[in-house]
Amino acid sequence: MPSVAEHYERVLSPVYAWMSGGAEAALAAGRAEIDALNLALPAGALVVDLGAGFGMHCIPLARAGARVVAVDTSAQLLAELKRLAGDLPITIVQDDLLSFRAHLTEKAAAVLCMGDTLTHLPEHTNVDFLVQEVAEALAPGGHFVLSFRDYSEPLLEDQRFIPVRSDERRILTCFLEYEEDTVVVHDILHERAGDAWETKVSSYRKLRLSTDRVTSSLESFGFDARSEPGPRGMVRIVAKLR
Ligand SMILES: C[S@@+](CC[C@H](N)C(=O)[O-])C[C@H]1O[C@@H](n2cnc3c(N)ncnc32)[C@H](O)[C@@H]1O
């Protein structure tokens, strides 16, 4: 099975902005999410975006006055972020998000890990490691905001076939296959090529995280955490370092 990074390069990165409704609509949705969080960041505050993708959250944050370090493994998505960000104060880092602290020289006011990035980590123990690293990286009172899919309850039968997006040129469908601690995500992409359809199929593993498990990890590393419904069926956890 391809790694997460290989899967993105093969199938998801080239269509990620399209899958999110187009870059402009996604940036507007990201801005609405950031505004609703009401993090009260001072001008010039340092924010780290883990798994930043093409910048759905970090571009609105930088437009609102933050300095951002955006970390992602996908060269294609980071190139798109660079193009969309223009002159905004965003430092782009191509690296594994588990190594993000190597790219910081000061404490951060907030760390984000949005849009189901957390489930992409290879092992459940990586979640605890990440929470500990974020607690070390944040200034006292700093926020760690996460949104992810809670895959603890399996979808059954036909529910496992998920139409992601379609238009006259593309159809993206996803099929979920549940394992004990992980879920295999099969992405099936049909793209119009002249008179025919071309099909790409690729699969990767995600962690079956539960909201309770992530919340108790946050609490054990010194955060006060609250969970609430997030966008597109995800859960959002807003955690504040005590
Ligand atoms: C589901 S997308 C979310 C992107 C963005 N946060 C958003 O909300 O639109 C997951 C992102 O995490 C990146 N990613 C996955 N695993 C990663 C890792 N271990 N280190 C860095 N980036 C990773 C992928 O390349 C992808 O851009």
Side-chain angles (χ1 to χ4, degrees), residues 4-5 8-9 13 16 19-20 33 49-57 71-74 77 95-98 113-117 120-122 147 204 206 232:
V4 169
Y8 268 77
E9 292 316 276
S13 295
Y16 201 88
M19 185 178 103
S20 311
E33 266 185 88
D49 189 5
L50 302 174
F54 63 85
M56 173 172 176
H57 300 96
V71 185
D72 204 288
T73 40
S74 168
L77 288 172
D95 199 358
D96 192 307
L97 65 87
L98 292 173
C113 187
M114 308 293 272
D116 208 27
T117 299
H120 292 58
L121 292 175
S147 60
Y204 66 131
K206 283 184 172 178
R232 292 167 280 126

Side-chain angles (χ1 to χ4, degrees), residues 16-17 19-38 54-61 63 112 114-115 147 230-232 234 236:
Y16 201 88
M19 185 178 103
S20 311
E24 213 167 295
L27 291 177
R31 183 187 164 174
E33 266 185 88
I34 296 297
D35 288 350
L37 284 170
N38 202 12
F54 63 85
M56 173 172 176
H57 300 96
C58 70
I59 289 176
L61 270 164
R63 284 180 179 154
L112 308 185
M114 308 293 272
S147 60
R232 292 167 280 126
M234 288 182 277
R236 177 166 52 222

